[in-house]
């Protein structure tokens, strides 16, 4: 993980809270607390632009903790971004998506993306896959071309599940395991 020093260092010391039975790590990239420094944001988006060529029309992120990533990436690449919101707008063509995570569930609403758009989907973490999977399935039904899926942190089996169910490769920057209340980081698990 030579390139993602700050991300790795801060993840290793991230606090873990219990949400029911779910072990939830708290980190600036995924929660905006305790402090999201320009350095850590820059390290992440610099690594993304170093590793991947992003020839897409739009960056698609998911509210809430994909928005700062899309913003930083958009400023760097000049590619505009769209937010899949937790709020219904009722705009023509709006598509609702049911999201579930290890600790919550709700609706997400897709606006601003049309058939034929070539997009990058970016999010902060994939854990159960209950957010990314239905979003990718909805975009497929909308005949949107998902050229790339990037998630900063992979945790649990969600990445594998989403790859198997959608056929998309999910590119991640770092893998997190929580074992005996300790955070272990490792390079992404390549399928
Ligand atoms: O793979 P999953 O189990 O779906 O977990 C990943 C999702 O969990 C968080 O979203 P959430 O809506 O919980 O919180 P946020 O509003 O802080 O982004 C995170 O931003 C991911 O979108
Ligand atoms: N910050 C954070 N976000 C999550 N989203 C799904 N799982 C997690 C987690 O463990 N930590």
């Amino acid at each position: 993980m030579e390139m993602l020093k700050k991300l790795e260092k801060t993840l290793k010391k991230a606090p873990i809270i219990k949400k029911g039975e779910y072990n939830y790590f708290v980190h600036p990239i995924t929660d905006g607390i305790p402090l999201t420094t320009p350095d850590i944001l820059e390290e992440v988006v610099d690594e993304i632009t170093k590793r991947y060529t992003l020839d897409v029309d739009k960056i698609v992120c998911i509210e809430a903790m994909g928005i700062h990533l899309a913003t930083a990436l958009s400023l760097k690449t000049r590619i505009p971004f769209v937010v899949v919101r937790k709020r219904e707008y009722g705009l023509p063509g709006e598509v609702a998506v049911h999201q579930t995570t290890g600790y919550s569930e709700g609706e997400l609403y897709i606006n601003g993306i049309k058939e034929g758009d070539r997009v990058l989907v970016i999010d902060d973490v994939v854990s159960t896959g209950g957010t990314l999977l239905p979003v990718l399935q909805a975009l497929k039904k909308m005949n949107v071309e998902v050229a790339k899926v990037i998630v900063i942190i992979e945790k649990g089996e969600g990445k594998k599940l989403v790859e198997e169910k959608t056929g998309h490769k999910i590119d991640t920057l770092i893998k997190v395991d929580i074992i005996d209340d300790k955070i272990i980081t490792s390079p992404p698990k390549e399928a």
Side-chain angles (χ1 to χ4, degrees):
M1 222 39 72
E2 71 292 341
M3 309 303 286
L4 291 157
K5 277 195 184 59
K6 293 179 185 67
L7 181 62
E8 192 177 11
K9 192 161 145 273
T10 48
L11 273 170
K12 283 185 186 313
K13 59 181 195 334
I16 297 164
I17 59 170
K18 280 282 206 194
K19 290 166 95 57
E21 283 310 300
Y22 190 87
N23 289 316
Y24 182 105
F25 68 87
V26 182
H27 186 270
I29 288 290
T30 49
D31 299 271
I33 49 173
L35 193 68
T36 310
T37 60
D39 285 357
I40 195 154
L41 211 40
E42 204 158 51
E43 180 180 86
V44 165
V45 291
D46 284 355
E47 189 60 23
I48 289 172
T49 52
K50 216 176 288 169
R51 287 192 194 187
Y52 311 115
T53 322
L54 305 174
D55 57 340
V56 294
D57 306 310
K58 298 170 185 174
I59 297 165
V60 175
C61 66
I62 302 165
E63 182 182 1
M65 295 314 288
I67 297 174
H68 55 305
L69 302 169
T71 305
L73 197 55
S74 178
L75 286 172
K76 192 173 164 65
T77 61
R78 317 315 294 171
I79 303 168
F81 72 93
V82 183
V83 182
V84 176
R85 292 296 308 267
K86 295 185 169 178
R87 168 179 305 168
E88 184 174 19
Y89 288 85
L91 289 169
E94 180 171 76
V95 172
V97 170
H98 188 69
Q99 173 200 25
T100 59
T101 69
Y103 48 83
S104 68
E105 67 174 298
E107 296 306 303
L108 296 169
Y109 299 92
I110 301 176
N111 286 287
I113 309 172
K114 63 185 187 313
E115 177 166 6
D117 280 346
R118 185 175 157 80
V119 306
L120 156 71
V121 174
I122 186 165
D123 208 2
D124 57 327
V125 55
V126 57
S127 178
T128 67
T131 301
L132 197 52
L133 178 59
V135 168
L136 291 175
Q137 289 171 329
L139 292 173
K140 182 176 166 68
K141 260 198 270 185
M142 293 165 66
N143 293 317
V144 169
E145 186 192 351
V146 177
K148 195 130 203 67
V149 184
I150 297 175
V151 181
I152 309 305
I153 298 161
E154 65 173 271
K155 171 188 181 209
E157 296 309 309
K159 167 177 159 173
K160 188 159 158 278
L161 176 106
V162 176
E163 287 183 331
E164 284 166 1
K165 290 202 171 214
T166 65
H168 281 294
K169 168 101 179 66
I170 312 298
D171 286 307
T172 62
L173 298 188
I174 194 166
K175 185 169 181 301
V176 156
D177 289 288
I178 298 179
I179 299 163
D180 302 332
D181 282 345
K182 261 180 68 54
I183 294 185
I184 315 292
T185 60
S186 53
K189 194 155 74 175
E190 297 313 335

